[in-house]
Amino acid sequence: MNATSLTVENYLKAILQISLQSGSEWISTGELARYMDVAPGTVTSMLKTLKQSKLVEYRPYEGASLTEAGKHSAIRVLRRHRLIELFLFQTLKLTWDQIHAEAENMEHAVSDFLVDHIDEYLGFPEADPHGDPIPSIDGRMRRAYPNLTTLAACQPGTHVKIVQVTDQETEFLRFLSRSGLQLGSQGVVKEKNSEAGIVVSEWNGQTLSMGVHVAENVKVVPVEAA
């Protein structure tokens, strides 16, 4: 794959991921620039190119949304990425803080034929090691989380279970691992200090303080107290 095609796939995947996280089909140029860690002008130029290719709808000063063709391409890349992550995690025993970067490198090189066989080999899984839903071959997300919220949004006294982690930077995942947290961990919110911007929670008897902006990346569902 040439550099242009790789960049196009990265942008389409980014637009889809922001849209899934925000629940909005339209995303702003600023959002995409922050997500891609590039200048807004660079994003604007790329969105114009993607519009010419009929992969996005683009409105100056408003943002962009994926066309059906763009969404189809983005889902294919996302499917590849998440299945590769799970394959590396389950089969090669890489840790959840190692697999994201490796999948980023591999997702543009593997064929859909190979990805479909990885999917079958893994038993048509619902989610990757970070809890992100894996699209099926027809583009449907296999897992939905009813009552999904963030740790930051929970009120004191709420018992929760971690089901998804949206920040997949290596240091953040290592921080969670050092704190004894992983998918399926159950805990309780003890304190929420809006002025200080801190959420205090307890997991297996261990108290953990997180900044609100950090706790927003930990997706949870309410559970009954043990």
Side-chain angles (χ1 to χ4, degrees), residues 53-71:
S53 301
K54 301 187 185 304
L55 295 172
V56 304
E57 294 290 340
Y58 170 64
R59 299 172 187 165
Y61 309 109
E62 289 189 41
S65 68
L66 295 170
T67 62
E68 283 302 313
K71 187 175 182 180

Side-chain angles (χ1 to χ4, degrees), residues 20-68:
L20 290 173
Q21 290 174 15
S22 66
S24 172
E25 289 189 4
W26 283 85
I27 67 167
S28 70
T29 303
E31 283 180 299
L32 186 55
R34 288 189 294 273
Y35 192 93
M36 300 290 291
D37 195 23
V38 298
T42 302
V43 169
T44 298
S45 297
M46 177 51 91
L47 290 177
K48 289 178 179 178
T49 299
L50 295 176
K51 181 179 181 180
Q52 290 174 352
S53 301
K54 301 187 185 304
L55 295 172
V56 304
E57 294 290 340
Y58 170 64
R59 299 172 187 165
Y61 309 109
E62 289 189 41
S65 68
L66 295 170
T67 62
E68 283 302 313

